[in-house]
Amino acid sequence: MTRRARTILTATTAVALSAALAGPAVAAPPVDDHDATRQAMLAAVADGVPGVTVRVQQGHGAWAATGGVGDLETGKPRSTRDHYRVASISKTFVATVVLQLEAEGRLSLDDTVEKWLPGVVRGNGHDGRKVTLRRLLNHTSGIFDYLADAGFQRTYMTADGFMKHRFDEAAPEDLLAFAMANEPYFAPGSSFRYSNTNYLLAARVIEKATGNDYGDEIERRIIAPLHLTSTSVPTTRVTLPRPSGRAYSKLAETDTGPTYDVTELNARLAYGSGQMVSSSADLNRFYSALLRGRLLPPEQLRKMKTTVESSRETSRYGLGLVDRKLSCGVHVWGHDGGISGSDSDAVTTEDGRHMLAVNFNGDWSGSPRAIIEAEFCGK
């Protein structure tokens, strides 16, 4: 894209955002007019995010808005009903199923990975006999993150690699091989390090314990009971359900250079660590139900909310659930997620009554966290 085209696009995007935010909300806001949230959305688009969609629910009221564009070619705006890939937000769903299985007596968080997946976590210092399921879910296992492997990044995350392999259907064992080719980060239980391999393994444990694909268990246990009609765990589908915007990436660690349309891809490469598709309304419903005790018995919800220090100073990690302390002292619970062309976040207050879900259809600029700060702290 030329500099002139980008300049025209930025101007068009700003107009689209102004128009989108000038329109009526989905419902009358229960407390205020969300001015701070609107301004944070404006700032995200000004920072280079192609398009943003936000939905807030508080009590019985709901407010939703979009900004920027869903399609850089046509200028079509985003929709408040957009489907998008939620990436690591999938981890909360996976952890919820594991905890449901524990509540049913079908496994224990103190079980080792070796018990369920014999011989799978071995090599270069990895030892599944020393890693419990709890350590998978709270990222204290020390197991190497397969997404950080140089070979994986070269094959799937560079521009050339992505374009060649975006529709690959690698098996979980192939992905685990990338992790096992590296040394663990630390001895199990001695520290915290976020690793997508943990949730790939957790999904495999679900499958061993139930005899079903982990996605089918999420469908049966969470999606269907909560009527999450826009949520799915796609297997080989490479397109997004409608409505949806296009998804864009730089396919690089910089915010400069060409912009690629990465809408079509096979998210099965993320497996239990980030395969799901959802919408803002569904994510709000899910996290509210979870925090209000509709999905887990009190003992398992308590375990999920038992946190350890994370790599972020203002947040702590539970079992697939993050406790974030905002600048104004408010605590919100949820998870964020990033995948090629998509940056999402979904949080709720501990009582499950004030929720926000946000998605950017670009992965190189802006901050969903700024929108969360705006909504819950008014700045």
Side-chain angles (χ1 to χ4, degrees):
M1 186 179 295
T2 66
R3 181 183 299 273
R4 179 175 180 274
R6 279 197 296 270
T7 302
I8 294 171
L9 176 60
T10 300
T12 304
T13 300
V15 172
L17 177 64
S18 299
L21 296 186
V26 169
V31 176
D32 57 40
D33 58 3
H34 303 275
D35 272 350
T37 309
R38 294 172 189 265
Q39 292 305 311
M41 294 172 70
L42 280 166
V45 174
D47 194 42
V49 176
V52 54
T53 182
V54 173
R55 182 178 176 89
V56 175
Q57 290 174 244
Q58 189 171 3
H60 297 294
W63 175 86
T66 67
V69 296
D71 190 318
L72 293 178
E73 294 296 324
T74 67
K76 180 181 178 180
R78 296 208 63 180
S79 165
T80 58
R81 297 174 55 245
D82 269 355
H83 297 77
Y84 47 84
R85 294 186 178 94
V86 302
S88 285
I89 291 173
S90 305
K91 290 180 172 69
T92 313
F93 288 80
V94 170
T96 299
V97 172
V98 172
L99 286 162
Q100 288 177 342
L101 291 171
E102 188 199 46
E104 295 164 10
R106 301 172 71 174
L107 54 75
S108 167
L109 292 182
D110 295 320
D111 289 345
T112 63
V113 174
E114 181 73 12
K115 174 179 178 177
W116 290 100
L117 305 171
V120 170
V121 180
R122 293 290 176 86
N124 290 308
H126 288 98
D127 189 346
R129 295 170 296 184
K130 298 178 181 179
V131 177
T132 63
L133 303 188
R134 180 182 282 103
R135 287 171 177 169
L136 291 182
L137 298 184
N138 67 11
H139 295 294
T140 61
S141 72
I143 295 173
F144 189 86
D145 185 353
Y146 72 93
L147 263 66
D149 176 80
F152 182 92
Q153 293 185 347
R154 185 168 53 252
T155 303
Y156 297 109
M157 300 174 74
T158 62
D160 289 343
F162 177 88
M163 293 305 175
K164 183 177 179 180
H165 297 283
R166 66 196 299 175
F167 303 129
D168 279 9
E169 298 178 16
E173 289 71 24
D174 298 328
L175 303 175
L176 283 168
F178 285 107
M180 296 302 104
N182 297 270
E183 294 181 356
Y185 294 122
F186 48 76
S190 64
S191 187
F192 173 94
R193 179 72 177 257
Y194 192 92
S195 173
N196 290 282
T197 311
N198 289 325
Y199 276 77
L200 189 159
L201 291 164
R204 296 296 279 164
V205 170
I206 290 171
E207 292 170 346
K208 285 284 188 174
T210 65
N212 301 316
D213 186 275
Y214 87 94
D216 293 339
E217 289 296 314
I218 289 176
E219 167 69 34
R220 182 174 71 85
R221 294 167 173 273
I222 301 174
I223 295 174
L226 294 182
H227 305 290
L228 305 180
T229 57
S230 297
T231 303
S232 62
V233 188
T235 52
T236 58
R237 177 171 182 163
V238 300
T239 58
L240 287 168
R242 294 181 180 178
S244 60
R246 307 299 293 175
Y248 299 98
S249 178
K250 297 294 184 181
L251 294 175
E253 295 183 0
T254 66
D255 58 3
T256 59
T259 299
Y260 298 92
D261 186 323
V262 297
T263 310
E264 285 78 33
L265 59 83
N266 187 352
R268 190 75 168 176
L269 282 172
Y271 214 70
S273 70
Q275 189 177 342
M276 295 181 66
V277 168
S278 191
S279 68
S280 297
D282 275 10
L283 290 178
N284 283 341
R285 188 177 305 123
F286 166 64
Y287 278 106
S288 177
L290 178 63
L291 270 294
R292 297 175 80 171
R294 291 182 56 193
L295 293 172
L296 293 173
E299 180 182 356
Q300 275 66 41
L301 183 56
R302 177 186 60 78
K303 290 179 179 180
M304 182 177 244
K305 292 167 64 179
T306 300
T307 60
V308 297
E309 289 186 11
S310 76
S311 54
R312 295 175 185 167
E313 204 172 290
T314 58
S315 66
R316 293 176 62 86
Y317 205 95
L319 305 183
L321 190 66
V322 181
D323 172 19
R324 259 176 275 181
K325 183 180 180 181
L326 304 180
S327 62
C328 55
V330 171
H331 282 257
V332 291
W333 295 81
H335 212 292
D336 58 352
I339 194 171
S340 297
S342 181
D343 192 3
S344 308
D345 215 327
V347 297
T348 181
T349 49
E350 191 167 18
D351 62 5
R353 294 187 59 81
H354 188 177
M355 301 141 274
L356 178 148
V358 53
N359 172 260
F360 295 166
N361 64 339
D363 59 19
W364 66 89
S365 63
S367 171
R369 293 185 191 89
I371 291 175
I372 291 171
E373 280 278 344
E375 174 61 29
F376 290 90
C377 296
K379 58 182 179 181

